[in-house]
Amino acid sequence: MLKLSIITINYNDVQGLKKTVESVTNQSCKDFEYIVIDGGSTDGSGEYLSLQNDKINYWISEPDHGIYNAMNKGIKRAKGSYFLFLNSGDTLVDDKEILNKIISKLNDKAVYYAPIYLLKNDLTQTKLDYPIKLDERFLFTNTICQQAVIYHNLSYHNLYFDEKLKYISDWKMHFVLFKKRFDFIYLEIPFAVYDLNGITSNGETKYAAHRERLKLQFFEFFFYFVKYYGTNRRVLFRLLKIFIKNN
């Protein structure tokens, strides 16, 4: 079995797609498959992908029902022991050996995570790190950039991203996997660069993602909501504003 499946999701971002594809296919490592799920783009993404048939193991361009529907399509096609999601615009770090370095460390049926570089307007990179040991509080009240996570394929056994959510299904996935007692193992080596121009990183969409998470935490994880937010007036006030706005 292949060690790693890398899955890229794209919709009408041909320039970001080119950057991501080049980052992956320029690796010296060959012990991985590359899957691209395009949502029926009209900006030339499909035409670009058709020229990359010798570099991409599987790609498709067809309408989907959002980013998490596309990601679930990728999971169903993947054959690797581990999955890594790099969406259009995201890249591996500038090191042709990085996959060799990372794959050699993937030995457990676990969820691996690492520090990640953040890219803004193609100019500035900052490094975002996470605790070496994750606990329930951190995973409930914070999130890990999905591009910094590598999942063992068993973590998706009868479990997919919640397609009813628009922004934070990856947060839900991480918390659910933790509660299912999957180990989260820290990798010291950053392997990915997260493009902050993505769907959940800008202005109103970032605020909408926060609202979506608060509502999900309240309705689906009420016990933990009370446990970690019960006396936090600021969080409770934000939740009240969401309810008032929706009515």
Side-chain angles (χ1 to χ4, degrees):
M1 177 181 282
L2 286 167
K3 196 67 177 280
L4 180 66
S5 297
I6 300 178
I7 302 168
T8 291
I9 307 305
N10 177 71
Y11 182 64
N12 282 340
D13 183 15
V14 66
Q15 295 306 317
L17 178 63
K18 290 179 179 179
K19 185 169 68 169
T20 306
V21 170
E22 290 173 5
S23 166
V24 173
T25 58
N26 284 338
Q27 286 290 304
S28 64
C29 174
K30 302 304 177 187
D31 190 17
F32 72 93
E33 65 172 351
Y34 191 29
I35 296 169
V36 180
I37 309 295
D38 179 73
S41 296
T42 58
D43 68 342
S45 293
E47 291 79 359
Y48 169 74
L49 290 171
S50 68
L51 299 174
Q52 308 302 313
N53 281 325
D54 60 328
K55 299 178 181 178
I56 299 174
N57 298 88
Y58 173 84
W59 69 271
I60 192 170
S61 181
E62 64 179 13
D64 55 46
H65 303 293
I67 186 171
Y68 295 115
N69 175 244
M71 291 168 72
N72 285 337
K73 287 183 182 181
I75 291 170
K76 292 172 184 177
R77 295 293 312 193
K79 299 176 182 178
S81 298
Y82 297 88
F83 302 157
L84 166 63
F85 293 92
L86 286 178
N87 294 335
S88 283
D90 304 323
T91 63
L92 296 170
V93 297
D94 187 16
D95 177 357
K96 291 185 178 181
E97 299 298 324
I98 192 61
L99 284 186
N100 283 322
K101 296 174 184 176
I102 293 299
I103 285 176
S104 67
K105 298 179 179 294
L106 305 179
N107 299 305
D108 295 301
K109 297 175 181 178
V111 179
Y112 291 84
Y113 66 101
I116 189 168
Y117 291 106
L118 308 179
L119 182 68
K120 183 68 173 179
N121 297 327
D122 294 321
L123 295 174
T124 305
Q125 284 195 10
T126 56
K127 182 179 175 182
L128 175 63
D129 207 346
Y130 301 103
I132 294 175
K133 181 70 174 178
L134 298 181
D135 59 18
E136 181 184 88
R137 175 184 290 274
F138 180 88
L139 284 167
F140 189 76
T141 60
N142 295 274
T143 190
I144 303 174
C145 292
Q146 188 172 52
Q147 297 82 348
V149 180
I150 297 176
Y151 309 84
H152 191 275
N153 61 14
L154 283 181
S155 63
Y156 288 100
H157 182 64
N158 295 325
L159 183 67
Y160 292 97
F161 289 104
D162 187 343
E163 296 180 16
K164 298 188 301 295
L165 298 171
K166 186 174 182 180
Y167 302 107
I168 51 89
S169 192
D170 47 339
W171 172 87
K172 180 179 179 181
M173 176 67 75
H174 296 159
F175 189 69
V176 168
L177 290 174
F178 183 82
K179 297 308 296 178
K180 287 181 174 289
R181 300 189 181 280
F182 271 85
D183 289 331
F184 280 67
I185 299 176
Y186 180 79
L187 298 173
E188 295 181 355
I189 307 172
F191 55 81
V193 180
Y194 174 32
D195 184 358
L196 289 176
N197 293 311
I199 185 172
T200 58
S201 302
N202 291 309
E204 182 60 29
T205 55
K206 189 173 183 178
Y207 178 61
H210 180 70
R211 288 184 303 183
E212 185 176 71
R213 192 173 83 176
L214 269 183
K215 289 174 63 178
L216 178 71
Q217 289 171 326
F218 183 81
F219 286 111
E220 292 195 25
F221 302 97
F222 183 72
F223 173 82
Y224 303 102
F225 185 93
V226 173
K227 184 177 180 179
Y228 295 118
Y229 294 147
T231 59
N232 190 319
R233 294 184 178 181
R234 186 173 64 176
V235 171
L236 296 175
F237 180 69
R238 287 176 180 172
L239 185 66
L240 179 62
K241 286 177 63 178
I242 291 171
F243 288 152
I244 292 174
K245 188 173 182 178
N246 289 344
N247 291 328

